Amino acid sequence: MEFTLGDNSLKTFSRCITCLSRIGNELAIQASSSQLLFHTINSSRSAYQSITFRPGFFDVYTVSSNPVQCSVLLKAVCSVLRTPISNIDRLTVKLPDPDAPKVQWILDCYSGMRKTYWITCNVEPDIQHLSLDRQKFPSNFIVRPRDLNRLLGNFQSSLQEITIIATEPASLPPDAANEIGGKAVELRSYIDPTKDNDASLHTQLWIDPKEEFVQYFHTGDPIDVTFSVKELKAFLSFCEGCELDIHLHFEKAGEPILMAPYFGLEDGSHSNFDGTLVLATMLTSQLHEGAAAEPPQVATRTNAQNEERNGSHMQQENCRLNASELPSDHTRIWSDLSGSAMKNIGASEERQAQAETVLNDNEQREIQRISRMQISREPLPAGNNPIESNSYP
């Protein structure tokens, strides 16, 4: 196997390697006379990406009669392409024979320098294939990368999963149409209910497909899919660099979502390369998340009220103990906004210091009284008056 490429094809090839490296760790290569296939899968087997190159994509492409299968580490391939693409005239990749232990990568730079790398390969790779027909997905939409990137900018950068809810515009009830303006698509940040999400930001974004999408198709009941944001952003950067729109195909919660670059044709048969990203989705639907989460909240409030009635005495004692701390905390919060807050801090600290002084005096008297009581319990010598010893120790 041997292929050579340069100019715009080299830029596209470099973007493909970068996108694949953000999905998985190992690059599986399958070469035949009709196409060159790159694909990878992540460690949890929840994301799979494949990119197909046709012979017209390369300046030179030759494969022996026997198909070639091998795999290399994507980290090693990325280190080869660390040289700026603008400095590379052409890239040549050679595999002398199907059983060769290493793949040769040659970079010919404009400066006249030639860089040669040998990357160890596995001649018996774990080849994975997914047979999914894009035409069988009932719902799909096409969006420009810059528009999708702008929509994702409304969410936290640390968000791990996102939910897409698709509805039929004509099926929206009148009250819902007035509330959200008849927008048929919703993007919602997914927060794991099993974790502490008090500091997390929940975001819901309603979208009008006519304004944001190039094409939108959905009929029937509302559906939702929740999937990873990391792989979505990686594929988004790839399509944006190639100046291609993104075509998303999905069915329902628990079924995979498929993404592909949109070339203006459904199958991309007139393009010299094509790509596919398949992501697993969560089995649980998020459409009734609000209704399902309400009963536990009611039960929590009921238990809190019962505990408040049963332990009211303990709460009153805690309130008296913490009474001097609450004003200072609130004052500390507003100290940046109000100039008079510093006076409140000084007054509250002075009152707290006085209370601690009185408490220390009371504790000392109590200790003395307890000490006298302990001394009075000791056996007295004969002839002493017990009443006088208790009154005048």
Side-chain angles (χ1 to χ4, degrees), residues 3 13 17 20 27-29 36-39 49-51 53:
F3 60 85
F13 184 83
I17 296 297
L20 290 166
L27 175 64
I29 303 174
L36 175 65
L37 177 62
F38 288 173
H39 53 89
Q49 183 179 9
S50 64
I51 297 179
F53 303 97

Side-chain angles (χ1 to χ4, degrees), residues 12 26 40 47 86 125 168 180 184 195 211 222 224 260 270 283-284 288 297 331 341-342 370:
T12 303
E26 189 175 10
T40 185
S86 58
E168 188 176 358
I180 62 177
K195 299 180 180 179
E211 297 178 359
D224 69 298
H270 295 277
L283 296 174
T284 307
H288 307 289
Q297 295 178 359
T331 305
M342 299 304 296
I370 294 174

Side-chain angles (χ1 to χ4, degrees), residues 88-303:
I88 302 175
D89 182 18
R90 63 181 180 272
L91 167 67
T92 303
V93 180
K94 296 181 180 180
L95 185 66
D97 57 82
D99 297 331
K102 294 183 179 181
V103 180
Q104 185 181 12
W105 299 68
I106 303 174
L107 299 178
D108 292 319
C109 302
Y110 288 107
S111 61
M113 181 183 299
R114 167 174 284 191
K115 300 179 181 180
T116 303
Y117 301 86
W118 294 89
I119 300 178
T120 304
C121 65
N122 181 14
V123 295
E124 296 180 356
D126 183 14
I127 302 297
Q128 302 289 337
H129 290 284
L130 290 178
S131 58
L132 294 176
D133 189 1
R134 304 178 186 180
Q135 306 297 330
K136 294 184 179 181
F137 287 87
S139 304
N140 66 87
F141 65 85
I142 302 172
V143 61
R144 298 181 181 89
R146 62 177 183 271
D147 294 336
L148 182 57
N149 197 15
R150 174 174 50 82
L151 296 174
L152 294 177
N154 296 280
F155 297 85
Q156 279 186 315
S157 58
S158 59
L159 184 66
Q160 297 182 358
E161 287 90 12
I162 192 171
T163 302
I164 297 179
I165 300 177
T167 58
E168 188 176 358
S171 64
L172 289 175
D175 54 348
N178 295 331
E179 181 181 356
I180 62 177
K183 298 176 175 60
V185 179
E186 178 186 351
L187 298 181
R188 178 188 301 178
S189 57
Y190 173 77
I191 306 298
D192 191 354
T194 61
K195 299 180 180 179
D196 186 10
N197 303 312
D198 294 340
S200 301
L201 178 64
H202 299 254
T203 306
Q204 290 178 278
L205 184 63
W206 285 271
I207 303 171
D208 187 356
K210 296 181 180 179
E211 297 178 359
E212 303 293 346
F213 296 161
V214 178
Q215 175 183 319
Y216 175 75
F217 178 79
H218 174 75
T219 58
D221 298 333
I223 61 174
D224 69 298
V225 286
T226 302
F227 54 93
S228 175
V229 178
K230 175 186 174 183
E231 289 80 6
L232 172 63
K233 290 183 177 180
F235 197 73
L236 173 63
S237 300
F238 166 70
C239 292
E240 187 174 10
C242 297
E243 298 181 355
L244 297 171
D245 298 337
I246 303 178
H247 200 167
L248 288 88
H249 306 261
F250 51 95
E251 183 175 356
K252 62 179 180 179
E255 298 294 332
I257 180 172
L258 186 146
M259 306 179 194
Y262 182 71
F263 298 93
L265 301 172
E266 288 296 333
D267 54 358
S269 57
H270 295 277
S271 176
N272 51 17
F273 79 98
D274 193 11
T276 300
L277 175 64
V278 180
L279 300 179
T281 61
M282 298 193 64
L283 296 174
T284 307
S285 175
Q286 308 299 315
L287 290 175
H288 307 289
E289 180 183 5
E294 185 64 23
Q297 295 178 359
V298 175
T300 303
R301 288 196 296 267
T302 303
N303 294 333

Side-chain angles (χ1 to χ4, degrees), residues 375-386:
I375 293 172
S376 64
R377 291 194 186 97
E378 295 179 358
L380 297 176
N384 292 338
N385 190 349

